[in-house]
Amino acid sequence: LVGAPACGDVMKLQVEVDENGKIVDARFKTFGCGSAIASSSLATEWVKGKTVDEALKIKNTDIAKELCLPPVKLHCSMLAEDAIKAALADYKLKQDPNKEESEKKA
Amino acid sequence: FCPGCRALQPPGPRPDLFRLMDCDRSFRIDAQQLQRRFRSLQRAVHPDRFGQRPLKEQCYSEQHSSLINKAYQTLLNPLSRGLYLLELNGVEPAQETDSADPVFLTEIMEINEKLAEPENEDILEEIETLIKVKQEELTKEVTAAFERDDLQEAKKLLAKMKYFANLEDKLKNKKIPS
């Protein structure tokens, strides 16, 4: 769960990671402008099927380029990148090697 | 106005909005006094009164009038007033992603969710009251922070106010019959 203080947008990204460290499902909920919603939607699509380490490589610039975000909305893609990182950091923190599947939120 | 010929002059560069509205550079303001000053300034410079004047003065009148509107709106609203004060003190408003206070963000998320899909009319009233109470609380805290010159704390609180200001706008839009 992340927020952008400059514009007051909030973004929630949830990931489901299997025992192999692969992201099998992801969900988002964003309250904010269209660019913020689009950025989190794209981030959700992109992390699916990736490993945790691969997902951590996703950069806000990739998101912004794919969506052709105007300069004034670049911070939305940054928020999405931060949401991915926060979700995965949370997963790593709670990681229990005995569990087969863990559902982590950010 | 030019003291000699009484012609309207252009506004100065980078005006201090507090000085323009004759207010102390502080977070506490007298809203009545602000409004009086706003009206008296507009009486003097509004374009309606410059219809017969040379084009240059008409142009300056528009500039002054716009600037006064901007100053009034900025100082009237606690959030914009606070952010402007930070700016004057060389403190940048919060820019980086907020992930430090999950309890607060969760609360904002929940209010947003309820607002997006309200179960009934009463929920909207509840939310409206909640937002108002929170904004009043935050305004008090921001006032205290500025008074003890704690600009970093003011910055954090103003960031929280932004989330509630957005909620307030969304609520207003909900109430307008579509």
Side-chain angles (χ1 to χ4, degrees):
Chain A
L1 187 53
V2 292
C7 55
D9 290 347
V10 283
M11 195 183 277
K12 189 203 274 195
L13 189 67
Q14 289 178 253
V15 291
E16 201 177 305
V17 187
D18 69 13
E19 67 274 13
N20 297 317
K22 192 160 108 165
I23 300 169
V24 293
D25 196 15
R27 269 152 283 165
F28 78 97
K29 195 181 253 186
T30 299
F31 291 100
C33 65
S35 298
I37 296 169
S39 298
S40 52
S41 176
L42 188 61
T44 303
E45 288 310 305
W46 275 0
V47 300
K48 284 186 197 166
K50 288 200 163 66
T51 65
V52 168
D53 290 328
E54 284 169 352
L56 283 172
K57 294 208 183 109
I58 296 173
K59 294 240 91 239
N60 67 307
T61 43
D62 303 326
I63 297 174
K65 195 159 159 203
E66 181 69 19
L67 294 172
C68 305
L69 292 183
V72 62
K73 292 293 182 182
L74 287 180
H75 66 280
C76 296
S77 62
M78 194 65 229
L79 189 63
E81 182 191 316
D82 288 341
I84 295 174
K85 297 207 154 58
L88 296 175
D90 200 54
Y91 156 74
K92 286 191 174 170
L93 208 61
K94 294 179 179 166
Q95 200 179 2
D96 185 339
N98 297 324
K99 277 201 183 145
E100 282 205 332
E101 265 181 22
S102 4
E103 186 176 300
K104 302 302 158 206
K105 293 187 219 177
Chain B
F1 289 94
C2 165
C5 62
R6 314 276 314 196
L8 187 62
Q9 302 303 300
R14 312 250 316 251
D16 179 324
L17 303 184
F18 281 98
R19 201 136 46 99
L20 181 66
M21 301 308 281
D22 207 21
C23 289
D24 293 332
R25 200 191 262 197
S26 104
F27 187 71
R28 248 190 232 282
I29 53 139
D30 181 343
Q32 301 257 20
Q33 188 203 341
L34 180 66
Q35 189 179 66
R36 276 196 297 267
R37 172 79 176 159
F38 168 68
R39 292 201 176 140
S40 93
L41 281 175
Q42 287 291 19
R43 263 197 295 276
V45 304
H46 195 276
D48 284 351
R49 306 179 113 252
F50 283 77
Q52 305 301 318
R53 304 291 296 169
L55 274 172
K56 214 192 251 191
E57 279 191 56
Q58 286 189 24
C59 179
Y60 296 155
S61 147
E62 273 174 44
Q63 288 172 12
H64 277 288
S65 197
S66 285
L67 180 61
I68 291 161
N69 279 339
K70 173 176 157 197
Y72 180 60
Q73 293 305 329
T74 304
L75 298 185
L76 191 64
N77 174 272
L79 177 57
S80 52
R81 186 188 329 138
L83 291 172
Y84 181 61
L85 259 179
L86 283 184
E87 188 188 314
L88 285 179
N89 281 292
V91 176
E92 270 207 32
Q95 296 286 353
E96 291 187 355
T97 304
D98 228 326
S99 44
D101 192 349
V103 174
F104 174 72
L105 289 178
T106 305
E107 184 188 7
I108 297 294
M109 200 76 192
E110 282 172 4
I111 303 174
N112 264 298
E113 285 167 358
K114 275 202 204 129
L115 195 56
E117 271 165 50
E119 289 152 13
N120 54 54
E121 279 285 313
D122 294 335
I123 297 266
L124 286 182
E125 295 254 346
E126 270 178 41
I127 296 176
E128 188 176 14
T129 311
L130 175 66
I131 294 174
K132 226 180 254 174
V133 166
K134 290 281 176 176
Q135 284 177 318
E136 277 169 12
E137 265 177 35
L138 282 168
T139 304
K140 275 202 194 112
E141 287 176 44
V142 172
T143 309
F146 272 116
E147 256 158 31
R148 60 173 194 270
D149 227 1
D150 190 348
L151 298 181
Q152 289 305 317
E153 181 64 16
K155 171 171 157 175
K156 279 193 212 138
L157 293 164
L158 288 165
K160 287 191 177 176
M161 280 182 87
K162 179 64 181 167
Y163 293 101
F164 282 106
N166 282 4
L167 283 168
E168 192 187 6
D169 286 339
K170 286 183 191 156
L171 185 70
K172 279 193 193 141
N173 285 333
K174 273 263 163 180
K175 288 169 104 181
I176 298 171
S178 41

